[in-house]
Amino acid sequence: QGQVTESGGGVVQAGGSLRLSCTASGLTSDGYAMGWFRQVEGKEREGVSCMTWSGGRTWYADSVKGRFSLSRDTAKNTLYLQMNSLKPEDAAMYYCAACVVVAGGLILPKTPSHWGQGTQVIVPS
């Protein structure tokens, strides 16, 4: 059964950077894609980015293109999200999970989904 643990969130001023980490087990193989989702209380969870574990392909939501970057360390089963030029609208709880990308580039969680506790990102306005 898959498990994920997210870390790296915090408070950062607008324009600053953070790097989130996600350590995964049971979900990282060349047949999987892993990514990040975020959710603001009261709103639907949004797919932010997704990467094939082989590293061959990466997708980003339009709202973060050019600012966020995915990478992974296969030896550590860890996925990273480097977030630069953060904006107040990036503030959310961030989760990692296995992902799929459907027509139009929409990033969705792969079902069944294995969610961790998430890591909070706060960007004061």
Side-chain angles (χ1 to χ4, degrees):
Q1 186 168 352
Q3 286 187 314
V4 296
T5 303
E6 304 95 341
S7 62
V11 181
V12 61
Q13 296 302 312
S17 299
L18 278 177
R19 190 177 79 156
L20 306 184
S21 300
C22 167
T23 301
S25 62
L27 297 171
T28 54
S29 68
D30 285 348
Y32 274 90
M34 291 292 296
W36 289 90
F37 300 81
R38 65 187 182 186
Q39 188 169 25
V40 175
E41 191 172 347
K43 294 188 177 181
E44 289 191 3
R45 198 166 296 189
E46 173 192 14
V48 174
S49 58
C50 184
M51 167 188 274
T52 55
W53 196 248
S54 64
R57 294 201 65 182
T58 308
W59 296 262
Y60 297 94
D62 287 344
S63 57
V64 305
K65 277 180 184 175
R67 299 188 299 120
F68 289 13
S69 177
L70 271 180
S71 62
R72 84 264 188 266
D73 184 328
T74 56
K76 296 181 180 180
N77 283 341
T78 300
L79 181 73
Y80 302 101
L81 182 67
Q82 178 66 43
M83 305 188 296
N84 299 326
S85 302
L86 281 160
K87 304 175 181 180
E89 52 264 42
D90 294 319
M93 185 71 82
Y94 282 72
Y95 303 88
C96 76
C99 51
V100 295
V101 181
V102 298
L106 182 64
I107 299 168
L108 299 174
K110 179 178 171 62
T111 56
S113 300
H114 303 278
W115 299 104
Q117 301 248 345
T119 187
Q120 183 80 49
V121 173
I122 299 170
V123 187
S125 56

